[in-house]
Amino acid sequence: MKLEAEIKNIKKILVDDENFFQIPDYQRPYSWDKENISDLIDDIITAFLRNDGEHYFCGSLVLVNNQTDQRYDIIDGQQRITTFTIIACVFRELYGNVIGKKPHKYIANSIQDEYEESKRKLKFLTNEKYQIDFEETVLKKIDFIDTKNIEKSFPDNRYLQNAHFVKEFLEERIESNKVNIEDFIIWFYENIVLTTIICPSQDSAIQIFNVLNDRGMPLSSIDILKSTLMSKLPSKEDRKAFKVKWESINSNLSFSNLEIDSMLNTYLYYKITSNPKNRLDKELIEVFAKEGKSSLQIIKEVSDFSDSFIEMSNQEDKYVYCLRYLRHKIYWNSILTTALFEKYSEIQKLRELMVAYYYQNWIAGATVARIKQTSFNVLKLVKNNAGIEQIENEFKSNLDKYSTTKTFKESIESNTVYGRKWDRAVLLLIEYFSTDEDKNSFIPLGPKLHLEHILPKTLTPSWKETFTSDEIQRWTDSIGNLTLLSLRKNVQAKNNNFEEKKNAYRDKDNVSTSYVITQQVLEESQWNVASLQRRKERLLNKVYNKTFIFS
């Protein structure tokens, strides 16, 4: 099997080479969302600002030459290439009139072949089911609109959604960092690179794809770190002692269903209290060199930190449970593990502040770029054993800067809570703090946990007699109408009238629902607007009690 593999930048892939690309019809649809876009924009702007001459590596691109269509089928790398093409189109719309010939040419030729203008031969075709939408709303021209809810404005067009997100995040990061847009566009094309692998057949491409995704690659950064540290030990006995300790760390983590790479990344954040610029092994080896510690001293500290990491992960604490639902685990995880490792005296108040801060940001729709620097600042304060008032001020300053609390309140009090990424997590926060028990069991966000509409989405005649159409629209997806059920109870409740629903919640199969917030619904004799208003107020008070704690 002959393979062609080369590291290529975006300019080489989309601009220079006379190559054209397409998504084969068997591939899944384009699926990147707001968080993926935010992470990518944040990472590439950060890499550009470092100005260290390093390329920004962005994964692999596995291709097969489709002779019939005279295009390369993309077997792996669809999400990245699609997003890079969207970014190019946003560059064109935002900056086409203010940049010079060089970046302008890069942009134009990464969208459409300059020698095929009469045929309008596009460099990249997406899944044929969505190609017309992609072409008409993004590739040809993007008509940006001012909207607070991008997903709702374009529910069936992920490409146009993400074009709006790219615009939002680009403008925010470019303005706040005073980025020279012409330099950045040139850097974008010349310094973002992918490992491009051209395979002779679909079978070989899929085989390569599986190998890459099963981590069947050469030494990982963790292997390199271990090898480097061991090589610095002079004697066989010391190397053996190091290896035994390393294996003990691995074993203890595995026993708690934790992974060493997650622990070491958390440890790296603890050591540098900033965003890593290089691979984990490079960053840590550089830190260790500055500290001048021996490998045995290093492995002892890593082992102690790993113990704190395991302790934090196994804590039976309501606040920690709530934090576990957050997507960007590395930030809160690093702060709390550091607090345990450094024996921070105000750790319980710290947990409370973190739930309030991160949940306000999550519900307000803030991206990781907004919370990242504040998280590092707090991590540094905890590491230096700063007072809890200083940490509270750090969180509050960030919330005030972006008016996060105002947006948070608007979101959670709106009539469209259902369907948000945080809907079940917020109800679980309320559930945890609806009892006085110090210790609860963690409730995972799995398929067995269902969000129940008390006033159902599909209405029977009895419900229509109780609610007007305006009331149905206002209340159905609001927080007051939502509760938690197990899969079994959800099936039993169906779209029945309120009395039948209560029977399902209470004693169907002689088993009552385990959720306190659902048991409280049983206290209502009927379900109407007054009931909804009372419940909404009660649930919001619970949320605000845990999130409005900044003085």
Side-chain angles (χ1 to χ4, degrees):
M1 179 174 69
K2 183 179 178 182
L3 301 174
E4 298 177 30
E6 184 181 351
I7 294 178
K8 296 184 178 181
N9 60 20
I10 297 179
K11 176 175 177 285
K12 181 75 171 172
I13 295 167
L14 289 177
V15 180
D16 292 347
D17 290 351
E18 284 299 299
N19 295 329
F20 302 87
F21 305 92
Q22 66 184 6
I23 305 301
D25 56 13
Y26 56 80
Q27 284 274 33
R28 63 190 176 97
Y30 177 56
S31 62
W32 270 21
D33 60 12
K34 178 180 180 180
E35 289 290 345
N36 297 121
I37 299 298
S38 172
D39 289 348
L40 179 65
I41 298 297
D42 189 53
D43 285 349
I44 61 178
I45 292 282
T46 301
F48 169 75
L49 293 172
R50 284 204 305 265
N51 193 28
D52 56 8
E54 292 280 331
H55 289 306
Y56 174 75
F57 179 68
C58 203
S60 59
L61 180 63
V62 180
L63 307 169
V64 173
N65 194 351
N66 187 323
Q67 298 287 353
T68 303
D69 296 330
Q70 295 185 318
R71 286 181 178 271
Y72 283 103
D73 285 346
I74 299 177
I75 308 302
D76 183 37
Q78 173 197 172
Q79 307 299 326
R80 291 179 289 275
I81 292 299
T82 307
T83 304
F84 290 145
T85 302
I86 292 172
I87 291 173
C89 294
V90 174
F91 282 157
R92 177 194 63 202
E93 302 298 340
L94 296 184
Y95 309 113
N97 295 327
V98 298
I99 56 176
K101 290 183 179 179
K102 183 176 181 179
H104 194 281
K105 183 175 181 179
Y106 284 178
I107 293 167
N109 292 348
S110 66
I111 300 169
Q112 178 180 325
D113 181 20
E114 67 175 323
Y115 301 111
E116 295 278 351
E117 191 169 349
S118 60
K119 299 178 183 178
R120 211 168 45 78
K121 188 168 185 180
L122 300 168
K123 281 297 187 84
F124 169 72
L125 303 179
T126 191
N127 187 300
E128 60 182 15
K129 182 179 177 181
Y130 306 101
Q131 177 61 28
I132 292 177
D133 285 344
F134 184 39
E135 206 168 318
E136 294 298 320
T137 63
V138 177
L139 294 179
K140 284 185 179 179
K141 186 178 187 303
I142 306 171
D143 291 321
F144 291 114
I145 67 169
D146 186 13
T147 176
K148 288 185 176 180
N149 194 330
I150 292 171
E151 292 101 329
K152 194 171 182 179
S153 298
F154 317 108
D156 302 317
N157 192 330
R158 181 61 60 87
Y159 309 95
L160 188 54
Q161 283 181 25
N162 284 351
H164 278 74
F165 288 134
V166 168
K167 175 181 182 293
E168 176 186 333
F169 301 141
L170 261 183
E171 289 181 327
E172 178 185 317
R173 294 286 277 145
I174 284 171
E175 181 180 346
S176 62
N177 290 282
K178 296 181 172 54
V179 171
N180 181 298
I181 190 60
E182 184 157 322
D183 290 344
F184 174 66
I185 292 173
I186 293 170
W187 178 92
F188 173 87
Y189 281 96
E190 295 182 354
N191 287 274
I192 297 178
V193 300
L194 297 92
T195 300
T196 306
I197 304 171
I198 301 176
C199 303
S201 67
Q202 281 190 357
D203 287 343
S204 62
I206 292 170
Q207 182 180 348
I208 291 294
F209 171 76
N210 289 333
V211 168
L212 290 172
N213 284 275
D214 287 339
R215 298 190 177 188
M217 297 292 285
L219 287 175
S220 71
S221 58
I222 294 172
D223 295 321
I224 295 170
L225 176 65
K226 177 185 175 184
S227 177
T228 302
L229 291 174
M230 285 184 67
S231 69
K232 296 180 182 297
L233 292 168
S235 69
K236 183 178 180 180
E237 290 78 9
D238 284 348
R239 289 193 292 274
K240 182 178 179 181
F242 182 97
K243 186 177 179 182
V244 168
K245 179 60 79 173
W246 184 280
E247 290 172 353
S248 174
I249 293 169
N250 230 330
S251 177
N252 290 338
L253 288 164
S254 297
F255 185 76
S256 294
N257 294 316
L258 301 169
E259 295 181 354
I260 194 168
D261 57 347
S262 179
M263 182 276 292
L264 284 174
N265 273 297
T266 306
Y267 176 70
L268 172 61
Y269 274 58
Y270 159 72
K271 296 298 284 187
I272 65 175
T273 62
S274 63
N275 206 44
K277 297 177 181 179
N278 289 306
R279 286 195 330 257
L280 181 144
D281 59 298
K282 282 188 173 184
E283 290 273 6
L284 282 177
I285 289 168
E286 184 177 324
V287 168
F288 297 148
K290 290 178 181 177
E291 292 179 343
K293 293 180 179 178
S294 72
S295 294
L296 291 181
Q297 289 174 315
I298 290 165
I299 197 65
K300 172 65 169 63
E301 181 178 272
V302 171
S303 178
D304 292 343
F305 187 87
S306 181
D307 290 342
S308 296
F309 179 80
I310 292 170
E311 180 185 350
M312 192 284 303
S313 301
N314 291 331
Q315 281 188 333
E316 295 181 344
D317 181 271
K318 297 177 183 181
Y319 292 95
V320 174
Y321 291 165
C322 292
L323 292 170
R324 286 171 67 176
Y325 301 127
L326 298 169
R327 177 173 180 178
H328 298 285
K329 179 179 180 180
I330 188 64
Y331 300 111
W332 69 263
N333 201 334
S334 301
I335 294 169
L336 286 187
T337 302
T338 296
L340 286 171
F341 184 64
E342 295 289 346
K343 297 179 173 55
Y344 187 69
S345 60
E346 295 278 3
I347 192 166
Q348 184 54 39
K349 180 63 175 177
L350 176 64
R351 293 190 192 104
E352 295 172 12
L353 291 172
M354 289 171 66
V355 166
Y357 172 74
Y358 287 115
Y359 267 70
Q360 281 202 39
N361 274 282
W362 189 14
I363 294 167
T367 61
V368 67
R370 191 182 293 184
I371 66 169
K372 181 183 287 188
Q373 190 55 55
T374 296
S375 299
F376 288 135
N377 293 345
V378 170
L379 176 59
K380 190 176 296 184
L381 290 169
V382 171
K383 185 176 179 180
N384 294 331
N385 201 30
I388 197 69
E389 297 82 8
Q390 195 173 347
I391 290 171
E392 181 174 357
N393 289 337
E394 184 68 36
F395 282 136
K396 187 174 185 301
S397 174
N398 180 264
L399 293 173
D400 291 344
K401 178 180 179 181
Y402 294 103
S403 301
T404 303
T405 300
K406 178 177 180 292
T407 311
F408 156 74
K409 284 192 69 177
E410 290 171 352
S411 296
I412 202 162
E413 293 179 9
S414 74
N415 58 8
T416 56
V417 167
Y418 176 74
R420 305 289 187 95
K421 292 181 179 179
W422 42 264
D423 53 10
R424 289 187 298 168
V426 165
L427 287 175
L428 285 169
L429 180 149
I430 299 167
E431 175 70 19
Y432 288 131
F433 294 102
S434 292
T435 67
D436 295 328
E437 295 178 23
D438 290 335
K439 292 184 178 179
N440 298 65
S441 296
F442 176 68
I443 305 169
L445 290 177
K448 293 182 180 180
L449 177 69
H450 278 250
L451 210 54
E452 156 81 344
H453 287 81
I454 303 166
L455 166 65
K457 299 279 280 185
T458 303
L459 299 175
T460 58
S462 63
W463 286 110
K464 292 179 181 178
E465 292 171 4
T466 308
F467 292 91
T468 67
S469 57
D470 287 343
E471 289 168 346
I472 290 168
Q473 184 174 1
R474 177 185 173 191
W475 286 105
T476 302
D477 290 334
S478 73
I479 194 169
N481 191 50
L482 303 176
T483 196
L484 298 169
L485 285 180
S486 65
L487 170 61
R488 183 178 182 180
K489 287 288 177 187
N490 186 259
V491 171
Q492 291 168 356
K494 298 180 182 177
N495 299 320
N496 294 328
N497 63 42
F498 186 53
E499 282 303 316
E500 291 170 330
K501 275 180 174 281
K502 286 204 297 183
N503 288 335
Y505 300 164
R506 179 171 47 222
D507 55 13
K508 198 91 169 182
D509 306 350
N510 297 316
V511 177
S512 182
T513 178
S514 60
Y515 298 107
V516 174
I517 62 171
T518 306
Q519 292 171 7
Q520 292 168 347
V521 176
L522 302 176
E523 299 169 7
E524 299 289 343
S525 59
Q526 56 183 330
W527 201 246
N528 52 29
V529 170
S531 309
L532 283 161
Q533 287 173 330
R534 282 194 301 273
R535 188 164 189 273
K536 180 176 181 179
E537 183 177 344
R538 184 166 66 245
L539 297 186
L540 288 176
N541 284 340
K542 285 283 187 183
V543 177
Y544 293 156
N545 182 256
K546 297 302 171 187
T547 54
F548 283 5
I549 65 173
F550 298 98
S551 56

